[in-house]
Amino acid sequence: MRILLGQHFTQNAYIDLKKRDNIMYDECIANVDDLVNLLNLQLGIHTTETTLAERQAAYHNAFSKIMANEKNMFSASWDKNSLGVSNECLKWRDALVDCGWRADMNQPSERLQLLAKIEKNYSCKSQADNRANIISHLEESNPLPAGSVINVAAFSADELSPITQKILSLLEAKGTKIVYEEKKPIAQSSTDLAKIQEMILNSDSAPKNKIDLSCDGTLEIWEFSTSLDAYRYIASLERRDSELFICNNNKSFDNVQRMMGMPTSGSRMNDSHPLIAQLFMLGISLFDYPFNIRNLVSWLMMPDHPIPSKLRKSLAKVIVEEGGYENEVYTETINNYIKEESENGGKSRDKIINCLTNFIPTPHKEGVVKHEILNFLIQLSNWCGEKANTTERNNIKRNQFYKVYGLCQALNSIIRDYEGETIPFVLINSWAASLYEHTDFSLYESQSDSRWIINPYDIIDQADHVIWSDCYNYTAAKQPTEFLNAKEISELSSQGCYFWNNKKFNISTMQNVMRPVFMAKKQLVLVTAKQDKNESTKKHPLIIRLEETCSSINKITKRPVTAPTEVEEIQIIENNHSGVNFAINKMKEELMPNKESYTSLDTLIQYPFDYVMDKVLHFRDKASYEMDPIDTVKGNVVHAVIEHLFIGSNNDIKDNIDTKFDEVLGKIIKEHGAILLLKENILEAKMFREDLKENLEILLDIIKKNNLTVVESEKKVNGKISLIENDSDDPEINGFVDMLLKTQNGDFVVFDFKWTRSKNKYKSLLEENVSLQLAIYEKLVKMETDKNILATAYFTMPKHKLYTTSDFLLDTAHMERVKPLNNDDLIPKIINSYRYRRNEICRGIISTEEGYPVDETILDYVKNTPPEKKNLVPLDEYEKIHSENLYSNFKCFKGKLK
């Protein structure tokens, strides 16, 4: 048996299959752990693989037993983050075991004495324990077949870790041949590459004079502006025989290869949390109080989830549109799904309700109920285990499900040992965060005819051409036992422990870093980039070494340029600069809606492009799950609170505000304003409550002083106002009047409520006599009730100001009477504007006058509004600049449009 051993080898290590006739017979590639597993197999020793999260949980439980009975140096830190302390001590423990440490030794310090105590309660073994265990067996016998050879990817034993040296020395003493690499340049003599190889191999002594490079092409540095430019250029190169590519960030290189239509080389995501793996932390976050509505939406929108996809997406959409989850629409959505499943022979009602109860927990103010979170973790781990075992041909997903499964099991183990029936969420969250360490996950599989991409230390055989595609941003390795002080190392060494010598560790680390240099036979290319992911890169030690030792480094530095891609010329579209109209062919009048609202009428008149996209073509972003801005949410909550409190006589309303305000507000926030419950909005919510109550009291005071009584809030009105001449096709207008009030004589008054930061917007609408909303509502109420409308007004909050043009309402401290520029009737203007825009659209003409100064010479709508006629509603303009459309600047693609 021949073992190709490298301290950090992976199964993707580079070997030259041609010199082996494409057959690896009686050969295997192994790192130290692989060698230990092989020796265990030969000895017949069974080892159980335990995930890191499960080991961390077991160590924390063992640590807890010690901390419960004594005070020590870790007590203060333990009280703040017990699992964080435990995890760090577990790393120390594993590093010590790798050095031959045992709990029965004489411990030279308090912290090591504590680790020895914990060891008595801890039995969950690691790979470090396997390595220590194999040494005791190797002292008795050698399990490898006679004649076995281990080829070590190092020049001497000093470059290996002490535990590796110990294993190899025992194997060698028992007859296994250990062969180290020959320390000499492999490139052709006198070439630039040979000179550098000799310099690296003899790193103990610096060259007396600077190396003079002949620029023969055997050693080159390629310099690029960005890492992406480098990857694109390398991917475009023609392939050569015996060519090796080195890339630390093989994910980025694979992305470029996919983008360029080339086969992927196989890559991993390093130190990451892929989407499925995030199920763990997202699920835990649902136990936080108050409820985090954004986390719930994210939880429901995960690609894989135990709640059925159709139900999840429906619930997420309801939450976003309604602003909360404790509302009638949410419950109705669940009931409709249950009914549909029942009719189609699907899951029963009990199973669906049980699923929702398990995976959408109810947070409690007192803390997390122990049995509830345990049930959640058990159900989630069971589901992940099932998915991991049934996910066919998708190792990426399978590994993520196993990750979540292990995390759930580990946290379950910790919580189970907690004394008490409720647990502070902050404690559970800290445990979960400590377990939720970044992990490496496979991303792309290696495809046929792809380039062989490896890490710098993953080279077994020599290659003719080596291209190091990201020779920058090197991070130095840390000494595994750097946490020990000199006294601890000295006393443990006297008891048989073995530790890295700092000088030897640094030499070993640097030899691994420089390995590609002395494994290239004909050419070595070092690729550098000034920026990586928009950040400046740091020079690699190899580049620094070359700059220090070579006299002609600039001569071997090149700046390649990627060949231009073939492009096809397309016609340039000028958007809103030279033209203002779009044309739609075959536009049919039948496509126009038969119902309108104030909002749609306003959109048609001011922003016809948006109107056509939304109402005619139905081009909506139905997949957007972004919550409304907080000011919009406040407005929704205000309307709902007023609807619930302003019922009955004025005395009844006052009693409602005094006694039911907090109860109603809390209920409405859960139903329609759940983002106000987010921790980052605590201060905003507190101020909102105070402002709202003050505004409601002022609103009631205005109603009382004007001898008004509330008829109805959110009153639905509808009717036809002859928007088109043909009555049968005349669209019906629907709307909701925020508040309809009546005088002592039975006449009506209309109030509209606005929660706004603007000081003068609604005052300006009345001044310019362009308040379409109040005009339409006044018309519809009058048509429906046949009553006289004495006044219409805007009540703006939180500035608690009532704006009206009517002389009927009495002056109060919180009212401002606005004098309009004219007394024209708006309804005829609305009708004329509607007809004008509708006629344009039906002829296939759509104006897009947005974000630019209104030019009367090119805008037909403006040209058709002469000052003396004023038959159309003027455009919405601010300092002669028309407001932007939502659609034509693509905000709908960004999830801004609901």
Side-chain angles (χ1 to χ4, degrees), residues 39 65 69 149 256 265 337 350 369 445 509 534 543 706 730 813 839 866:
L39 294 172
K65 294 176 182 177
N69 299 318
V149 177
V256 170
S265 302
Y337 179 82
D350 290 343
V369 179
E445 299 288 345
T509 301
N534 297 321
I543 300 295
N706 282 279
D730 187 23
N839 182 53

Side-chain angles (χ1 to χ4, degrees), residues 542-597:
L542 177 55
I543 300 295
I544 296 173
R545 187 86 174 269
L546 292 176
E547 290 176 344
E548 291 175 346
T549 57
C550 299
S551 61
S552 49
I553 190 73
N554 291 332
K555 295 181 180 178
I556 64 170
T557 302
K558 299 181 178 180
R559 295 171 180 80
V561 178
T562 306
T565 308
E566 291 186 7
V567 297
E568 179 183 347
E569 288 191 12
I570 60 172
Q571 183 180 357
I572 297 176
I573 298 175
E574 292 285 348
N575 187 11
N576 294 321
H577 291 275
S578 60
V580 294
N581 292 333
F582 280 109
I584 295 182
N585 296 326
K586 299 181 180 179
M587 179 66 195
K588 297 180 179 179
E589 190 165 346
E590 291 80 9
L591 295 174
M592 295 294 291
N594 57 10
K595 291 185 178 181
E596 300 285 3
S597 65

